[in-house]
Amino acid sequence: MKFKLRYFLEDDFSNYQALANNRKIAKSAGMKILTNAFEQWMAFKGMVGRQGFLAIVNEADQVVGGIFIFQPAAEDIYEIGYLLGEEYWNQGIMSKAVHFSIKNLKNRNKRDFKVFANVCIDNYASQQVLKRNGFKRLEKITTGISGYDQSSQKEYRYELNVKLLE
């Protein structure tokens, strides 16, 4: 499948809503399903047009996934998360989308930086996406809280050191 990355548009809400309400996708991404339509709209509206929130769209320009890059307090540290519709899994789409997202982030930065990702220890596909993009798994297994169901979950933390002069 050919795809492109672009910013989310208000017209993408229904397609994004379908992805975000898919229990299998939400569980693997550790993402809370918002059941109230107003809360869903407000959460989505906060992503529209923002640099760190990229829609993965198919040839018909319909949202089939997303990449979410957050910047905690430190200027040189980012965290990445992503989700993709089930029918697009295991096609290399997310590996390419993460690659282009990191490349875009690199072009916007003025100094070296790090990107982190937390992945459930049983989410092998997501781990492969990170490995293909040069992320290294840190030694320690952490315990996180799933946004999906607030359960305790074992996670691997991955890190990518991005050097601007590479």
Side-chain angles (χ1 to χ4, degrees), residues 62-121:
Q62 293 176 317
V63 172
V64 299
I67 296 187
F68 315 101
I69 300 174
F70 302 93
Q71 188 174 18
E75 282 187 34
D76 57 348
I77 296 175
Y78 296 87
E79 188 159 344
I80 190 169
Y82 40 82
L83 58 84
L84 188 66
E86 286 182 78
E87 62 272 26
Y88 301 100
W89 290 0
N90 300 313
Q91 297 177 38
I93 294 167
M94 190 54 73
S95 292
K96 290 175 187 169
V98 167
H99 170 80
F100 288 121
S101 297
I102 299 294
K103 187 176 177 180
N104 182 30
L105 189 60
K106 185 176 180 179
N107 290 337
R108 291 190 340 232
N109 272 278
K110 294 180 173 69
R111 60 182 168 182
D112 298 348
F113 61 94
K114 291 183 181 187
V115 182
F116 290 96
N118 291 330
V119 179
C120 292
I121 61 172

Side-chain angles (χ1 to χ4, degrees), residues 14-15 21 23 55 98 107 110 132 147 162:
S14 61
N15 288 331
N21 286 332
R23 294 200 179 283
V98 167
N107 290 337
K110 294 180 173 69
R132 285 187 198 106
V162 179

